[in-house]
Every structure is written in C-alpha cells, then in structure tokens.
Amino acid sequence: MAKPRNRYVCQACGSEQSRWQGQCPDCAEWNTLAAESAVVTVFSARHDLSTGGRPVELVGLDAEIALPKRLKTGIEEFDRAIGGGIVPGSAMLVGGDPGIGKSTLLLQVAGKLAASGSRVVYVSGEESADQVRLRALRLGLGNAPVQLAAATSVRDILTTVGSGPAPALLVIDSIQTMHSDLIEGAPGTVSQVRASAQELVRFAKERGTAVILVGHVTKDGTIAGPRVLEHMVDTVLGFEGERSHQYRILRAAKNRFGGTDEIGVFAMEGAGLKEVPNPSVLFLTQRSEPVSGTAVFPALEGTRPVLVEIQALVVRLASGATPRRAAVGWDSGRLAMVLAVLEARCGLSFATAEVYLNVAGGYRLADPAADLAVAAALVSALSERPVPQLAVIMGEIALSGEVRPVAHGALRLKEAAKLGFERGWVPAGIDAPSGIATTRFGKLGELVDQILGR
Ligand code: TYD
Ligand code: MG
C-alpha cells in the first residue's frame, strides 16, 4: 500500500502546498501551514458530496413556462391581496388577532369557491361542526357545498381528503390546534406546529390542493409558533384592524406568486365581511369646520390611494413631570424623530408637553412619506391653527430638516383631486396634476411658517 502523502494547507487562506514552509507563499502569513493527510478514507468518500448523485437538469431562465392558473374565489378583495387568485398547490398562512375575523373570512372564501363548483374542505380544530354551520347560516352560506369537519389529527384529515378527487382548497382553522402523530408533544408546541404544517404543505404540493392555514398571532404581533412556518408556506397574509372598528385589511407579508403591495379591504357587518372596493375615503372624518391638530395624508396601498387622517394632541404640562408621548397607528420612534427635527431645526418646543398622535379609523401607517403630514398635525395642534381642510400633505422629513420627495406623488395628488381636495402640500419636484393647487416645501421650517402664518 502506498504511503499516504501529506499535503500542507494554510489555515489562513486555504492554499495547498506540497511541502512545509514557514511562510505561506500565497497570503504571506507565518506559521500557518499545517499537515493534512491526503488519503481518501471511507468516511471522506461517503461524505464527499461531489460524486454519486443523480444529475439534475439545468435550464435557462428563458425556458418556456406555464404561468400558474389561478383560481378566482369570487371575493375580489381577497383575490387582489393574494395576487390575483389562489394558485393550485400553494400553501398560505393567514395570521391575525383572535376575533378579528379570520374564520369568517375563510368560511366566506370556502363557501364562494364551493358554490362555483370546486371541491372545498374546511377543517375546524377550534369549533364544532355545528358552530361552524351556525356561522355559515348567519353568513348566508347555509347551502354552500363546503365539506366540513371538526378534527385535529393531521393523519385523519389527510387520509380523509386524500381519498377521492383532490380538493381545490383545504382550509385548516387553526394550525395551532393540529397535531401530528409523527412526533411527541401537545398541539400548539413549536415542534407540533412545524410537523403538522410540513405534512399539510407536502400534501398541497403532491396533490395540487391549495392549503390555507390559519395562524394565531402572539401579543408582539408575530404568528405564534415557529418563524419557520413563514418559510414553509408560499404566502403569508395578515388580517389586521381594530376590533372596535369595522374595517379589516388583508395584507400579504410574503408572496411567492405575486407582489405584496396590494391589500384587500373589508368591513365587518352583521352578515359577515363585506368587500370595500373603493377604500379611498374610508379613513377620513367628514366635518364642516376645519379643526386644529388634524392633517390628511394620501397613503398608497399597491395601486390604490387611501386618504387617512392624522390627529395630534399637544397638552402643556404645568408640573415638571416627564411628559408622555404616545402614537397609535404610527411608529413611536418616528414620532420622536419628527418632534426632534421640529425642535432642533424649527425652534418649536414640545419639551414640557405631552404629545399624542393617532391615525384615524384604526389604520396603520408605515410609509415615511407621512412624516410631513405628521409634522403638520403636530404644529397645528401646538399652535391651535388648523391646516386648510381640503389639503393633503406628504413628504419625508430628513434629520437635516429637509423635505424629501415621495414615491408616486402625482398619483396620490390625482386621487385626492378626484375626491374634492383642492390643495396639496408637497415636496419640491413633484408634478402636480391639473385640478389641485400645490405648495412646495424644501424645508420643514417653511411648513411651520405656512401653518403659523409667518
Ligand atoms: P372570527 O371569524 O371568529 O374571528 P377569528 O377566527 O379571527 O378569531 O370573528 C369573530 C368576530 O366577528 C366576532 O367577535 C363577531 C364578528 N362577526 C360579525 O360581526 N358578523 C358576522 O357575521 C360574524 C360571523 C362575525
Ligand atoms: Mg377563528
């Protein structure tokens, strides 16, 4: 047997030499060469992954593909949020606070799809079949041919739906109540949620059934159970809204088959969720007199502008107590930033005042383009001078106090003009469509001057 030859590998750069040297000739490091045996052992042969596999077909990006044929549910706001309809064989996760309306939404989706002739199975692990049937009656879906079951064993469910033609849609309400007998543990534990989801997703891919999993949301707003659930499915949807308000928004956080910028808007009514096809003015308060401390921001949801009202309240404190700052529907860190810029660059003082900011109607804003409207509401509240009532305000605020341009400014202004707004307070460099007068601001100080009438 041949004597195994040693090779010398630099531990710093990985280069290989046939004899030992004090300095690596490649990276010039000293004393980094170490002897490593070059023989191929049984162990390394078995662990060398570069041989022994089956060749995989490699194709170019320009190869012909068939676009997935989407299944329209007939609930347009739902179809819009998921990118144009349900993709067969896809797995979706719908998260949301308890009582927000997930079961209602999915029962309506299931009912509508079943009524159009597809096989739809709805499995509830939380409610009895009678409870679901009662809800369906209330939703006017009593006659929809949805196949209903109350079950929690993934094996039972997959055995049942696996016989006969594969359903077009399988709804699992909720994944936290499911258990898989492949592993130990109570339902709702991380490993059970993961194992159950894995089996259900596998079924979806193998049989071409679209699977919708309902997931509960924990207090901090993430879907309970492992984050890995979000990686396993193709689409992650959040159903949001305030329970005390009527409006609900279905929003995709991840979508392998479409964009994540479109939302579906619903109103919770006595007979279930009603679609809101034109949400532009949903979050506005109608009033005849201008009020100080409010400003209207033209938000953009996918291709649809939504006008939202931002309200601010500034309360002067007589005592030396630490003033509170609270924001609802807007990031409190961003509120602190806008306040700091107003103080540092515009000479306004909020130091001894409590500041409250609220986005009306339970809407949540994350767009930095709302900075300028937030600032306008704050300045207006501080000075008790109202912003013109028929004005929309947009612009991102830089720490330097400059007002930065926003995306799709013209589109936002156009929609505002359509709804009767007469004035736009915008950053410089936005093309104004006809029908709306614009005032352009390069610096936040100019906006403050405008509101204070200086
Ligand atoms: P639900 O779908 O059970 O919420 P989730 O599955 O997200 O926990 O919705 C529960 C709430 O919806 C309930 O508090 C009452 C309200 N609701 C209506 O207002 N109208 C209706 O027709 C239905 C079915 C529910
Ligand atoms: Mg439910």
Side-chain angles (χ1 to χ4, degrees):
M1 194 178 139
K3 186 167 169 274
R5 271 183 50 139
N6 273 349
R7 54 195 186 126
Y8 298 89
V9 180
C10 172
Q11 304 299 306
C13 70
S15 80
E16 244 178 69
Q17 312 300 328
S18 57
R19 61 191 177 84
W20 191 86
Q21 301 165 65
Q23 183 184 26
C24 170
D26 283 329
C27 68
E29 284 291 321
W30 287 94
N31 295 324
T32 53
L33 292 191
E36 282 184 11
S37 165
V39 282
V40 176
T41 62
V42 178
F43 179 84
S44 71
R46 209 179 271 156
H47 287 77
D48 178 8
L49 289 180
S50 59
T51 54
R54 270 176 299 173
V56 182
E57 188 194 356
L58 300 172
V59 293
L61 278 176
D62 54 354
E64 287 280 324
I65 43 145
L67 280 176
K69 218 171 137 6
R70 289 172 182 270
L71 207 57
K72 298 271 183 210
T73 61
I75 298 182
E76 251 185 57
E77 292 294 306
F78 182 82
D79 289 344
R80 174 200 295 275
I82 61 175
I86 295 178
V87 177
S90 67
M92 287 181 262
L93 179 66
V94 177
D97 292 333
I100 204 75
K102 301 179 295 295
S103 305
T104 308
L105 174 70
L106 293 178
L107 192 58
Q108 283 181 263
V109 167
K112 201 78 186 243
L113 202 59
S116 70
S118 305
R119 184 182 175 207
V120 178
V121 178
Y122 185 103
V123 179
S124 178
E126 307 196 326
E127 294 162 290
S128 69
D130 279 340
Q131 275 175 309
V132 179
R133 223 175 286 127
L134 264 177
R135 187 202 298 260
L137 269 182
R138 212 143 72 85
L139 298 174
L141 295 169
N143 296 322
V146 176
Q147 297 179 308
L148 192 63
T152 55
S153 157
V154 175
R155 188 183 295 277
D156 293 353
I157 294 166
L158 292 185
T159 307
T160 310
V161 294
S163 62
L169 177 66
L170 168 64
V171 178
I172 302 289
D173 186 3
S174 65
I175 188 66
Q176 275 90 4
T177 56
M178 296 294 136
H179 74 92
S180 155
D181 55 17
L182 293 178
I183 59 160
E184 300 281 312
T189 54
V190 169
S191 49
Q192 275 291 354
V193 166
R194 182 168 32 199
S196 303
Q198 219 151 29
E199 290 309 305
L200 290 160
V201 171
R202 192 198 335 240
F203 178 83
K205 303 288 165 205
E206 279 174 8
R207 301 293 301 269
T209 294
V211 171
I212 300 183
L213 309 175
V214 174
H216 289 297
V217 162
T218 54
K219 282 215 179 61
D220 62 356
T222 53
I223 292 173
R227 264 333 271 267
V228 62
L229 210 54
E230 297 185 5
H231 298 292
M232 284 159 56
V233 297
D234 301 305
T235 306
V236 178
L237 297 159
F239 203 37
E240 321 168 341
E242 299 290 325
R243 283 185 66 175
S244 50
H245 286 99
Q246 196 185 9
Y247 297 111
R248 304 283 185 271
I249 292 174
L250 186 68
R251 194 191 290 275
K254 155 185 172 178
N255 194 351
R256 287 189 184 143
F257 299 113
T260 55
D261 49 1
E262 293 286 356
I263 58 168
V265 184
F266 300 88
M268 179 63 91
E269 295 186 351
L273 289 159
K274 227 181 108 224
E275 294 183 61
V276 181
N278 187 2
S280 321
V281 287
L282 220 57
F283 301 96
L284 282 189
T285 316
Q286 304 295 340
R287 58 168 72 94
S288 49
E289 288 277 291
V291 191
S292 67
T294 66
V296 177
F297 169 65
L300 209 56
E301 294 291 354
T303 51
R304 292 188 298 184
V306 178
L307 299 182
V308 289
E309 182 179 294
I310 297 174
Q311 307 166 344
L313 179 66
V314 175
V315 187
R316 285 264 168 236
L317 282 187
S319 71
T322 312
R324 276 196 64 172
R325 269 87 217 268
V328 177
W330 173 254
D331 180 45
S332 54
R334 238 179 141 87
L335 169 63
M337 190 204 86
V338 173
L339 285 173
V341 177
L342 281 171
E343 297 220 2
R345 308 283 176 193
C346 312
L348 297 180
S349 173
F350 292 88
T352 58
E354 302 208 317
V355 177
Y356 300 92
L357 193 81
N358 178 38
V359 180
Y363 193 84
R364 266 178 221 146
L365 270 179
D367 189 351
D371 286 353
L372 199 65
V374 168
L378 291 169
V379 175
S380 161
L382 184 76
S383 61
E384 295 182 13
R385 299 174 68 104
V387 168
Q389 201 183 2
L390 293 175
V392 290
I393 306 172
M394 61 178 135
E396 187 178 335
I397 297 175
L399 290 180
S400 59
E402 279 155 347
V403 179
R404 307 193 43 218
V406 304
H408 307 295
L411 179 64
R412 298 177 199 246
L413 283 177
K414 213 164 104 195
E415 182 71 11
K418 242 195 278 172
L419 293 163
F421 281 80
E422 293 164 355
R423 194 178 292 276
W425 286 4
V426 298
I430 282 185
D431 306 323
S434 59
I436 191 158
T438 54
T439 312
R440 288 150 205 272
F441 299 99
K443 289 216 151 52
L444 185 56
E446 297 163 21
L447 176 98
V448 174
D449 291 344
Q450 173 89 27
I451 295 175
L452 300 185
R454 291 202 285 228

